[in-house]
């Protein structure tokens, strides 16, 4: 192993240690806050899920961290993205916590703050000229994770209908379908450009935040959820047909 490789590995280990320490602090701080608001039982259930998500996120970072570029892991845009991951883990922690008045705003605040930071990390990366492959990978992965855990909490708390989870599953089904085609040696094209994909994703993020907040009655949120999910599901279907050659890329 060369000297540069050893330095890269040490930097990677240092970056992962720092992120792991921040994750542990998030877990301890979250447990303390939930315990003070809703009791130790609720805090333990929160920690069970939030801790598992944090471990997954740190493992994901470790898997995609290039030792030769480990120093870029902790640049400011990536730190903001990692902060989003912590907020989404905190959101997930409420999956098995009863929606008591003391914590009923917590999922909306955690997820909504993460959504707001989604704008910040991209802006920082472009403004400072420090866009990285790692940052793009983390951004996409945490967006997908947020689309999964926040609706699950919404369904568990009765704020979203079960049918809305079809949108949470759509990206995983899409990627599984493409993986199946590649394993069978079938062609898979590039994802076509779209002017509606990002606006629809932003719409879903905003809607999920509003749905989690105890403001609108569920009699309003549930039917609106089905209407809001429909165009995004249609785009997933269109993209799959396009990359598999069944639909014109134009």
């Amino acid at each position: 192993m060369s000297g540069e490789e050893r330095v890269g590995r040490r930097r990677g280990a240092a970056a992962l240690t720092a992120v792991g320490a921040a994750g542990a602090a998030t877990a301890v701080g979250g447990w303390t806050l939930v315990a003070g608001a809703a009791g130790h039982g609720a805090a333990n259930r929160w920690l069970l899920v939030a801790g598992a998500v944090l471990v997954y996120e740190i493992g994901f970072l470790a898997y995609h961290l290039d030792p030769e570029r480990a120093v870029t892991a902790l640049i400011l845009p990536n730190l903001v993205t990692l902060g989003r991951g912590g907020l989404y883990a905190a959101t997930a922690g409420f999956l098995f916590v009863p929606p008591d008045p003391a914590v009923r705003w917590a999922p909306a605040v955690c997820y909504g703050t993460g959504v707001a930071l989604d704008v910040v990390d991209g802006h920082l990366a472009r403004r400072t000229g420090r866009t990285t492959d790692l940052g793009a990978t983390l951004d996409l992965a945490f967006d997908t994770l947020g689309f999964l855990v926040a609706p699950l909490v919404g369904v568990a708390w009765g704020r979203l209908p079960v049918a809305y989870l079809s949108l949470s599953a759509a990206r995983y089904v899409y990627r599984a379908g493409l993986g199946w085609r590649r394993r069978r040696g079938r062609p898979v094209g590039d994802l076509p450009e779209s002017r509606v994909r990002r606006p629809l994703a932003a719409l879903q993020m905003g809607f999920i935040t509003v749905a989690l907040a105890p403001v609108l009655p569920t009699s309003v949120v549930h039917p609106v959820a089905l209407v809001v999910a429909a165009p995004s599901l249609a785009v997933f279907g269109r993209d799959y047909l396009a990359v598999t050659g069944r639909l014109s890329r134009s």
Side-chain angles (χ1 to χ4, degrees):
M1 181 183 297
S2 68
E4 290 184 357
E5 290 176 333
R6 284 194 293 271
V7 170
R9 290 183 180 276
R10 284 198 296 268
R11 287 176 175 173
L16 288 173
T17 300
V19 174
T26 299
V28 172
W31 185 93
T32 302
L33 290 173
V34 176
H40 287 184
N44 291 338
R45 289 190 291 272
W46 178 89
L47 183 61
L48 177 67
V49 181
V53 175
L54 285 169
V55 169
Y56 163 78
E57 291 173 342
I58 295 170
F60 185 89
L61 172 63
Y63 180 80
H64 289 90
L65 186 62
D66 183 352
E68 295 182 1
R69 298 182 176 87
V71 68
T72 66
L74 299 184
I75 61 175
L76 184 57
N78 289 353
L79 288 176
V80 174
T81 304
L82 290 168
R84 287 176 52 220
L87 287 165
Y88 293 159
T91 304
F94 291 97
L95 181 62
F96 300 126
V97 176
D100 295 330
V103 295
R104 63 179 182 171
W105 277 94
V109 171
C110 290
Y111 182 73
T113 304
V115 169
L117 291 178
D118 188 25
V119 179
V120 174
D121 60 7
H123 176 74
L124 283 173
R126 291 187 296 271
R127 176 144 190 174
T128 60
R130 306 195 74 178
T131 57
T132 63
D133 291 339
L134 176 63
T137 299
L138 291 175
D139 184 69
L140 178 60
F142 291 170
D143 280 349
T144 303
L145 180 64
F147 274 128
L148 173 64
V149 300
L152 280 172
V153 173
V155 170
W157 282 26
R159 298 295 305 168
L160 284 169
V162 175
Y164 190 83
L165 294 179
S166 60
L167 184 57
S168 300
R171 183 178 295 276
Y172 297 96
V173 173
Y174 173 85
R175 295 180 65 178
L178 298 188
W180 179 81
R181 286 183 63 86
R182 291 190 179 99
R183 285 193 297 272
R184 294 177 64 88
R186 295 185 176 181
V188 175
D190 294 329
L191 188 66
E193 294 292 330
S194 173
R195 289 180 292 181
V196 300
R197 191 180 295 120
R198 290 186 65 83
L200 282 176
L203 171 65
Q204 300 303 334
M205 290 179 176
F207 172 75
I208 293 169
T209 302
V210 172
L212 289 174
V215 177
L216 297 176
T218 55
S219 59
V220 173
V221 174
H222 281 211
V224 172
L226 302 179
V227 174
V228 170
S232 291
L233 288 171
V235 168
F236 271 113
R238 183 207 62 182
D239 287 348
Y240 184 80
L241 292 176
V243 298
T244 57
R246 294 182 174 92
L247 187 68
S248 170
R249 287 176 53 82
S250 62

